[in-house]
Amino acid sequence: MFYQHAKISKISEENPRVKTFILDCDLKTEPGQFLMLWIPESGERPMSIAGANPLTLSIANVGKVSASIHSKKVGDRIFFRGPLGKPFTFQSSYKRIVLVGGGYGVAPLRFLASAAAKKKISVKLIMGAKTKGELMASPDKKICETIITTDDGSEGQKGFTTDALTNLLADNSSTPDAVYACGPELMMKKVAEICKQNKIPCQVSLERIMKCGIGLCGSCSVDGKLCCCEGPVFTGDEALGVKEFGSPQKK
Amino acid sequence: MPSLETNLGKLLKLKNPLILASGINDSNAASLIRGAKDGAGAVTSKSCNVKGRKGHDPPVLISNEHYILNAMGLPNPGAEKMRDELALAVKECAKLGVPVIASVFGESAEEFAEAAQIVAEAKPALIEADISCPNTMNKTFFSDKPESVSAVTRAMKNATKIPISVKLAPNVPSLSLLAKAAEDAGADCITAINTMPGMAIDPIARRPILTNKVGGMSGPALKPISLRCVYEISRAVKIPIIGTGGIITGSDAAEMLVAGASAVGVGSAFYYRRNSFKLIAEELEKVMKENGCSKISDLRFQE
């Protein structure tokens, strides 16, 4: 058997574009990893993992396969292989971290926030969207403090997540031990640059077309590095070393 | 200390016999250069045709400990774009002493020739004719009859002065006749073998897994088949053979060289061991120390 299979036990709508699917199984996985989701009648795509116990996927309706899972109901079955890829990592010395999520990039960061909270690391999540209606759900206050930004100011601070990050880092009394980002690539590039200027370690998660998911087909290669098995999480410095970082090439 | 330096006939000088097989992380210059930096003796680019191809929609590949089954469907950006990537790769890999091999395919002998002519502008050391991909509904499969093998080989030889290697399929009767047909038509080298046609089915989903339904099998399970094919071809032709199929360890590589290959293709190995070139080279050296061979050509089994 190449695929594991699971049934959908709960579906919640995060916003008009994103649904979160809770499955009837657990997966041994770490935040930042992904799986290859197979919907037999429509195809297979890489999906970031939004939670492990139970396995949770937050999926934006952006294409054929995601539209197909969006049409599923509780009790329907999905197939997957994984977890795949390298996760976000913590140093044991970390006391506080900042997460920066844009759009549906927030999904794996909520999983990361829970994992960090379990390790007694204090977490601040900066979460942004274009407008109120495109925001993802905030994590529980017990897990982390959430700072919301919207481009149009319809909720939280008006502006970009990166503005909120700059403001946060201006306060020298609580400099984070590391910053983690997931979302639009231009946002992640800005985050990586801000962290570099402030000499704070940073990790970002690159999204590329992945066909095989196991480092053979090369469809996810960026400057010869393979996002599927050497990423998708890269350090800010590694990502800044990639020519196309910030403006992914369409293949 | 045994030496891994070797020659592919009179065609290429290699610092080791390990060649990045076509189709594995090789669709652009950066990937090919990476292969060279990781320790390849030579690198082969993803097969391209004149017009380019989108390839199949995923699922295109599944894997387990024994084998990999893929039906990528020869996705490529077209020979002209590939030529530009190859030109950059040829330049950079030369600095590392690593020859670059370009792989082409087509739906007719003429299309093979045209693609060869285009990639030849990048001055690769060798051009491989992929006449044996099992994943394009037989449109690009020319590996089952001596006449079609000759036709493609001749057309390619007429199109370019760069040496040609013909990549053969395992699932044919009388492989030695096909290899001989390639040699007689002027082929300078044989690459053997392509993947073995196969299928994977999910019993819960009750359907074939790959979108293309069938695919090509590679990985450890392919080795006994590739060894047999290379052995048979090596007894039928004088031109050198790049032995490919299921080479994961140094022992596998040694076995392939004993069977009659002059160099060894490495592809699926990267799923099983990320650092395959370095590991296989070290292990191959150990095998040679053990069996007393001082150079690669000593490994070959003499009847």
Side-chain angles (χ1 to χ4, degrees), chain A residues 13-31:
Chain A
E13 196 165 306
E14 300 252 355
N15 63 46
R17 209 161 67 116
V18 180
K19 281 184 184 174
T20 290
F21 300 84
I22 297 177
L23 302 166
D24 68 349
C25 69
D26 292 342
L27 187 67
K28 203 172 151 26
T29 178
E30 290 173 60

Side-chain angles (χ1 to χ4, degrees), chain B residues 68-111:
Chain B
I68 292 168
L69 190 77
N70 92 82
M72 298 301 301
L74 294 172
N76 79 91
E80 289 184 0
K81 277 202 176 137
M82 192 59 95
R83 170 199 60 202
D84 300 343
E85 296 293 326
L86 279 163
L88 188 56
V90 166
K91 193 175 138 214
E92 291 301 313
C93 292
K95 294 177 192 165
L96 302 161
V98 176
V100 176
I101 303 169
S103 174
V104 298
F105 71 95
E107 294 187 16
S108 64
E110 293 73 28
E111 277 186 27

